[in-house]
Structure formats: C-alpha cells, structure tokens
Amino acid sequence: MKALKAVRGMHDIQPNDTELWRFVEREIKAVLQQYGYQEMRLPLLEMTALFQRGVGENTDIVEKEMYSFLDRNGESLTLRPELTASIVRAGIEHGLFYNQIQKIWSMGALFRYERPQKGRSRQFHQCSVECFGVQSPASDAELMMICARIWSRLHVSEYLKLEINTLGSQIERQAYRMSLVDYLTPYTNDLDEDSQRRLISNPLRILDSKIPLTQDILSQAPTMQDYLGSESTAFFEQICILLDQRQIKYHINPQLVRGLDYYSHTVFEWKTEQLGSQGTVCGGGRYDGLVEQLGGKATSATGFAIGFERLLLLLEATLVKDRLLKKEEISVTLVISSPESIPYSMDLLESIRNHFPKIEVLSAWSGSLKSQIKRAYAMGSQLALMIGDQEVSGKTITIRFLKEDNKTETITKQALFELLQNQTVNHNNIESLSAD
RNA sequence: GUGGGCGUAGCUCAGUAGGUAGAGCUCAGGAUUGUGACUCCUGCGGUCGUGGGUUCAAAUCCCAUCGUCCACCCCA
C-alpha cells in the first residue's frame, strides 16, 4: 500500500509552530482594528472567471498556476490564488461599495501551482488588507503605515525595507507601455527568452528582469516618469511627503512593477535580505480600476497583502521568534505515584479548572514518578501537584515549587486554592504593568 | 516548466574498495523502596523514499519514479 503523504507543496503546521502563527495573527489583527478595518471571511472556491478577469488573463497566476477543475455541474471553479479578487467580488455582490468607504481585511489559505522552494509553497497564507472608496494619497500612505506598525509590533522593522513606485493612470501607463515596446522591439533578439515573451504579453514586467544584458538595453529606455501627468506626479509626491513626515524610510524603485494586472498609480513592496530569493514579505498598491472591471461601479481602492510563511520565516531567521514567545500562563502539572490516585486526582484537577479557567492544568496519568516530574519541568509549570496514597487518605496535596528552589510542602485543597488565587492575582498585576 | 544538491531510527547524522545497518539526542525502565537536571546500566525504535536492473551478495553501482531543498521563473 502506498504511504499517505501530504500533497506536494502543502505543509502541515505542527503543534510547535502554531503558537507563533497565533501570535502573529493576533498582533496583525490588533493593528488593523486600530485603523478601523473589519474582517471578511470568504470561500476558498470561486468561479474561475473571477480570477481570469480580476487578476488578468496574461499573468503567470492565471496562465499556469491556478488549481482549476470542473464542478459536477460542469462549471469551472478555482481554488483562490489571491484574496483581493474575492474581496472585490463579495463587496460588489453585497453592495458594500455603493458610495461608501469600506476598510476590509481577510486572511487565509491560497493556492498556486508552482515549484516549491524556500518561502514559496502551493498552499500558503496571506493577510490581505483593502481600503475602498478613498481616492486620496493619504489612503496609500496610511496602508504603508499600517505595515510599519505591524513590523514594529513584531520587532522586525530593521529587517524590512520599503520600496515604492508609481505606474501612473491607466492611460499614462498604456502610453508608456507602447513607447517601451517601440524602444525594445529593435532589440528583440538581444533580450532574454522570458523578456521576449513578455514583450508581447506584459512589457512592463521586463523592467525588473535580472538578466544583465536586458538591463543594459533598458538603461537607455524611456521611463515611466516621462509619461506621468502632473496629477499623477503630485499624487505620488504627496505619499512621499506623508511618509517623510512620519519618518518611514523608503526607496523609490522605478523598476518595481508587480505582476498583477490590476495595479495603477502606487505600488509598493516590503523586502528582506534574510530569506534568499523570495524576499518580498508584503506587497500592495492602488487598483482603482478593479471594482469596475469586475462589474461594480468605479471605486478607488488600495491594498496590500502580507505573506505569513515569509513573515514567520523572517521571525525565525532573525531569532526574533525566541523573544516573542515567552510563556505567560500559569501552569500546574499533576504527578501521581500510582493508578490508585487517579480518582482523587481527577476530581482535584477538574475542580481547579472550574475555579481557575486561566490556569493550564496538565497531567500525564502514567509513567514513573521521575518521568512525570521531568515532564512538569519540561512543560514549564510553576507547580507540581503530587498525589500518592498518603495524600488521598489525608485529602491533601503535596506541592513542589518548580521555579523556586524545589521547595516542597503538603497542604490542604483549600490552601492550594488560596495559593493559586494569589499566584493568579500577582500574575495579572505583572501582566498589566508590562503592557504599558 | 528548467537546472543542481539531498532522501538511512521520532530528530540530527555516520556508514565511500558492494559482504544482509550504527551513534548522539529524544522517549521508556532501572541504579535512587515517594520526587527533574549530572553519571552509569538496560530497553523501545529502521521493508536504508519507492519500483526495477547488475551481482553469489546492493544503504552502497545503474535506470526510473516520488518527495525535499536551493536557484531560474514568478510572487506573498
């Protein structure tokens, strides 16, 4: 029989790692709430046409990376390769964009059929943040500030660099695109294979080619800036002013293009050097045309997406992870000397759980005394509750303070509860102090 | 889709003139008759990724295949 394994490129997140995931999710949500964003939860499956129209027919995502299949009724469905299209679809469907400002986030699993490598898997997770109905550049700048605040809370600011660029309006972009094609066409044979292909399908993408010869040719090419109108220029400058004012450092990268078709005006990426070639942890920009393109009325929109796997890799690579995850719960571990102690102990533990919902109450119910004690230390408990025949018959508990010189004493259940009460109070005080 | 590295115990890995598998860690039990960490002893644990081939004999050589990692590509 063939061994059952996870599908290629789809990874289990194991118990050791979920704590970090939950921590990061919690921090991101907290920041988003500060800015008035609300959560939306969406289906994993959408009609294939949504992504064809939303993401763009000649993007790599649509051309070769989608998990598409026919439903039983013959309709083509696709596992979502990104969140923005789904959010826009849902917004249109429920009339959320009708003369309203909507600030929405969503997070979850996405699917792209790609060759797995570091920072890239076939099922991965993003948090996508979108602001609809605000045409001011303040909206673009604010999104970058949200990101900066998240990095700060996660202590990774120093590892992430912001790059920004503007693609101009649709019309300006098209004019530039034509002139770029005109410029490059005579050099077609000198371009690398991929760039030759993109000359037809998506010429702007050639700008961020890594091939030296292609970059040589591009050095004399017309630039986007030559085609920006005064409005677009002012819009971009306003964003820079706002970032400067808040002392958020950025680098203007004229080669920054981004692969999805729907962007216009602002595009930005947060990159790190720590993760090898997949260093973009967060990317976003303005996509004023998307709502209309998907059948809604024209609506300004900006947004970004954070890649969870890459963010977590960064936390691990920089060892920030170890600082973030300090165990804060009060924890006690039961140690019994024989199975005869089980009924008395079970009753005690359930009683503790009733009175102290926040305390972690652990038990192995088996193994030698030695191994149970070892486990109590390993789990980080403050207290071991040791129960044997003497405790059962005397209705007492022998406690051992695992964090303070292993002091041991035998006390009544009531005394134990008072002790736990005090510990909980002290613990809460410490917590509220450190929160300031 | 293209190229390269790697798949041996739960984990990290040794095993390179082909001779039917080892270590450390972890875990369990004991030395210590009711109390972790050090030390010592014992034990659990492997169809050597999978399938073919060469050979008296394959973890080792050959082929295929799958997975993984890194890079290209692309993006988060």
Side-chain angles (χ1 to χ4, degrees):
Chain A
M1 190 167 69
K2 200 178 170 186
L4 296 171
K5 290 193 286 193
V7 175
R8 177 172 198 193
M10 309 215 175
H11 303 295
D12 303 309
I13 301 169
Q14 297 188 63
N16 270 338
D17 299 319
T18 50
E19 192 184 0
L20 184 62
W21 277 79
R22 275 187 285 122
F23 177 84
V24 170
E25 287 166 10
R26 196 168 64 229
E27 294 299 304
I28 291 175
K29 286 178 192 174
V31 172
L32 292 173
Q33 175 151 26
Q34 284 191 287
Y35 287 83
Y37 280 76
Q38 293 178 297
E39 182 182 9
M40 196 173 228
R41 299 195 184 193
L42 299 158
L44 268 60
L45 281 172
E46 295 278 2
M47 292 195 280
T48 300
L50 171 63
F51 303 114
Q52 288 171 336
R53 280 206 278 160
V55 179
E57 284 283 8
N58 48 29
T59 58
D60 280 21
I61 291 178
V62 171
E63 274 179 0
K64 54 193 191 196
E65 297 175 3
M66 294 207 298
Y67 277 95
S68 300
F69 61 93
L70 293 182
D71 196 1
R72 286 167 190 266
N73 63 7
E75 183 162 52
S76 179
L77 302 181
T78 296
L79 279 165
R80 61 186 186 188
E82 61 128 40
L83 279 161
T84 303
S86 295
I87 292 172
V88 170
R89 189 228 85 221
I92 294 170
E93 191 167 334
H94 302 111
L96 302 185
F97 303 141
Y98 200 77
N99 291 334
Q100 289 179 69
I101 291 174
Q102 291 289 352
K103 301 191 174 193
I104 293 166
W105 63 268
S106 189
M107 60 172 77
L110 306 178
F111 303 86
R112 282 163 26 186
Y113 188 90
E114 293 184 274
R115 192 81 168 258
Q117 70 179 78
K118 184 175 189 176
R120 190 172 78 183
S121 47
R122 290 183 172 182
Q123 175 175 338
F124 60 104
H125 301 78
Q126 286 186 357
C127 178
S128 199
V129 179
E130 325 284 349
C131 173
F132 298 97
V134 181
Q135 33 61 287
S136 164
S139 167
D140 308 53
E142 190 182 70
L143 284 170
M144 298 180 210
M145 289 175 198
I146 291 175
C147 294
R149 198 175 283 276
I150 290 170
W151 311 146
S152 168
R153 280 184 80 130
L154 295 174
H155 300 98
V156 289
S157 303
E158 62 181 301
Y159 305 109
L160 285 165
K161 301 278 178 277
L162 174 61
E163 293 193 357
I164 60 176
N165 189 27
T166 179
L167 305 175
S169 67
Q170 298 282 3
I171 292 163
E172 291 159 349
R173 195 175 159 190
Q174 232 145 52
Y176 172 56
R177 181 182 152 130
M178 282 174 64
S179 81
L180 186 66
V181 172
D182 286 346
Y183 169 81
L184 288 173
T185 302
Y187 297 102
T188 302
N189 291 329
D190 299 326
L191 295 173
D192 59 275
E193 212 174 299
D194 288 313
S195 294
Q196 290 182 18
R197 184 170 47 80
R198 286 186 295 213
L199 195 54
I200 316 285
S201 63
N202 199 346
L204 292 186
R205 290 234 47 113
I206 298 173
L207 291 177
D208 64 2
S209 165
K210 290 171 189 162
I211 310 296
L213 183 58
T214 301
Q215 280 299 330
D216 284 350
I217 295 168
L218 284 169
S219 64
Q220 301 298 317
T223 67
M224 185 69 231
Q225 283 193 312
D226 304 333
Y227 288 81
L228 290 181
S230 58
E231 266 185 53
S232 293
T233 306
F235 190 93
F236 189 63
E237 279 171 358
Q238 185 61 31
I239 293 170
C240 295
I241 288 168
L242 290 168
L243 292 174
D244 289 336
Q245 179 190 302
R246 294 302 307 161
Q247 296 178 343
I248 292 173
K249 292 195 191 108
Y250 57 88
H251 169 67
I252 297 175
N253 176 2
Q255 328 260 269
L256 182 62
V257 178
R258 302 192 51 72
L260 282 57
D261 275 0
Y262 51 61
Y263 288 107
S264 60
H265 291 288
T266 323
V267 291
F268 65 92
E269 285 187 1
W270 294 86
K271 291 182 182 170
T272 180
E273 308 272 305
Q274 310 283 319
L275 301 183
S277 71
Q278 309 298 328
T280 303
V281 171
C282 172
R286 181 164 280 274
Y287 48 97
D288 290 341
L290 183 61
V291 175
E292 191 172 19
Q293 197 177 317
L294 290 178
K297 69 177 231 177
T299 304
S300 316
T302 49
F304 66 81
I306 296 173
F308 269 97
E309 280 80 0
R310 290 182 189 178
L311 181 55
L312 291 239
L313 279 173
L314 179 60
L315 290 171
E316 280 164 21
T318 57
L319 303 177
V320 170
K321 172 189 173 185
D322 305 324
R323 271 191 287 149
L324 291 178
L325 295 184
K326 283 204 187 110
K327 187 162 182 158
E328 303 225 318
E329 296 81 25
I330 295 181
S331 153
V332 300
T333 297
L334 174 75
V335 175
I336 54 175
S337 62
S338 71
E340 282 70 46
S341 310
I342 288 177
Y344 175 83
S345 304
M346 181 76 85
D347 197 45
L348 174 70
L349 297 195
E350 285 299 300
S351 180
I352 293 173
R353 292 184 182 111
N354 284 341
H355 287 83
F356 304 97
K358 291 194 167 172
I359 294 182
E360 191 177 61
V361 185
L362 310 173
S363 56
W365 299 119
S366 65
S368 68
L369 215 55
K370 180 174 173 173
S371 70
Q372 291 181 69
I373 300 247
K374 264 167 80 173
R375 191 178 157 81
Y377 280 99
M379 300 302 286
S381 287
Q382 284 84 351
L383 218 56
L385 310 177
M386 298 188 286
I387 310 292
D389 298 342
Q390 290 170 27
E391 286 78 10
V392 172
S393 57
K395 299 204 179 209
T396 57
I397 301 105
T398 296
I399 56 174
R400 175 162 168 180
F401 295 88
L402 306 177
K403 296 274 161 96
E404 309 164 24
D405 66 15
N406 298 333
K407 191 174 63 180
T408 302
E409 57 184 292
T410 301
I411 60 175
T412 63
K413 180 176 165 185
Q414 188 175 351
L416 173 65
F417 275 38
E418 281 167 19
L419 182 79
L420 292 176
Q421 182 67 42
N422 290 337
Q423 288 242 341
T424 311
V425 170
N426 289 339
H427 187 76
N428 287 342
N429 286 342
I430 291 165
E431 218 168 45
S432 61
L433 282 176
S434 63
D436 286 339

